[in-house]
Amino acid sequence: MTRPVIVALDLDNEKKLNELLPKLGKPENVFIKIGMELFFNEGPAIVKELSKQDYRIFLDLKMNDIPNTVYNGAKALASLGITYTTIHALGGSQMITAAKEGLIAGTPIGKNVPKLLAVTELTSISDEILHKEQNCNLSMEQQVLSLTETAKKAGADGVICSPLEVKSLRQNVGDNFLYVTPGIRPAGNDKDDQSRVATPAQAKEWGSTAIVVGRPITRATNPEAAYEAIKKEFN
């Protein structure tokens, strides 16, 4: 089975979206990540429309609120035709369970329930920030493992984590779980604002289920060629 390479569309309006999407290839061959910028500017309608066009969609809004609010939010998102969506694992087990229940309740009959991915620690978080600003005494590896175990027990389908942590997570949490990893940079690319990064080949070696890649594809001279090259390297 081909492992997905998800293109992070860090765009803030539909005009930019319509300029980029044709450069990535046929919709049925493209898996995209829509984040806060585009969703907050264009709303749910743009997600529904892209789903109708056969794009697979990872809607990355990182919900983090009281369980009832998250339940209702997830219920609404489930009707949009998305494949993945996210919450923060730091929101706790009750919130994670509520999100999963909301996705199930909101999914139209005959459609697949979106996969719920829990964000552990953002790939922009360094060990220094973890200890000095989050006041966490655990190592990054221990913290991510703890959050992953909580997420799985609470009903999440997988986690968002750094590729550097996947091997350990598979050993401790198991293979029957999704490990979706941002922070991917092909050899020779800048890290930009990421602290914990890996190449597509390293992500494959360490066991990532899917990878998320943004600027190395979207800012490439030929985005489709860059996308296909990363797919090849990851698979």
Side-chain angles (χ1 to χ4, degrees):
M1 182 177 178
T2 301
R3 288 176 292 186
V5 175
I6 304 167
V7 184
L9 302 180
D10 297 318
L11 309 170
D12 60 9
N13 63 69
E14 189 173 1
K15 181 177 182 293
K16 294 178 182 176
L17 178 72
N18 290 335
E19 290 173 353
L20 176 61
L21 284 179
K23 299 176 182 178
L24 296 175
K26 295 180 180 179
E28 60 268 25
N29 297 328
V30 180
F31 199 145
I32 56 177
K33 181 174 84 72
I34 294 175
M36 297 177 192
E37 303 101 318
L38 187 61
F39 189 82
F40 291 166
N41 276 294
E42 300 293 346
I46 192 70
V47 180
K48 285 185 176 181
E49 177 58 32
L50 291 170
S51 177
K52 288 178 183 177
Q53 295 176 27
D54 290 332
Y55 287 101
R56 285 181 293 166
I57 300 168
F58 169 15
L59 183 57
D60 185 22
L61 301 182
K62 300 181 178 71
M63 292 181 286
N64 190 11
D65 212 313
I66 62 172
N68 185 63
T69 298
V70 168
Y71 171 88
N72 288 314
K75 185 177 178 181
L77 296 182
S79 67
L80 301 181
I82 59 176
T83 302
Y84 295 160
T85 195
T86 50
I87 53 168
H88 271 290
L90 286 165
S93 58
Q94 288 184 317
M95 189 196 77
I96 296 168
T97 300
K100 183 66 175 181
E101 291 174 348
L103 290 176
I104 293 170
T107 300
I109 295 173
K111 299 294 185 180
N112 293 324
V113 177
K115 300 296 186 184
L116 181 64
L117 305 175
V119 177
T120 54
E121 289 289 347
L122 300 171
T123 51
S124 58
I125 299 297
S126 64
D127 288 287
E128 182 178 11
I129 293 173
L130 180 71
H131 298 141
K132 292 186 177 180
E133 296 182 16
Q134 295 187 3
N135 299 309
C136 178
N137 292 323
L138 300 176
S139 68
M140 182 67 73
E141 183 175 325
Q142 291 170 326
Q143 168 74 340
V144 170
L145 174 58
S146 175
L147 291 171
T148 300
E149 290 174 335
T150 296
K152 187 173 184 181
K153 289 176 184 177
D157 298 290
V159 289
I160 305 291
C161 61
S162 163
L164 282 67
E165 294 138 7
V166 174
K167 187 174 181 179
S168 173
L169 291 178
R170 282 191 178 276
Q171 291 172 346
N172 289 281
V173 180
D175 294 325
N176 188 28
F177 207 50
L178 302 176
Y179 301 96
V180 180
T181 59
I184 302 299
R185 291 291 184 270
N189 278 252
D190 292 333
K191 287 186 177 181
D192 297 308
D193 55 356
Q194 305 282 0
S195 293
R196 310 193 314 279
V197 302
T199 66
Q202 288 172 325
K204 174 188 175 182
E205 178 185 351
W206 296 333
S208 296
T209 308
I211 59 175
V212 181
V213 186
R215 286 162 282 194
I217 295 172
T218 61
R219 295 184 182 178
T221 304
N222 185 332
E224 183 175 6
Y227 187 25
E228 293 302 321
I230 291 172
K231 285 182 186 179
K232 185 176 180 180
E233 182 178 343
F234 184 49
N235 282 279

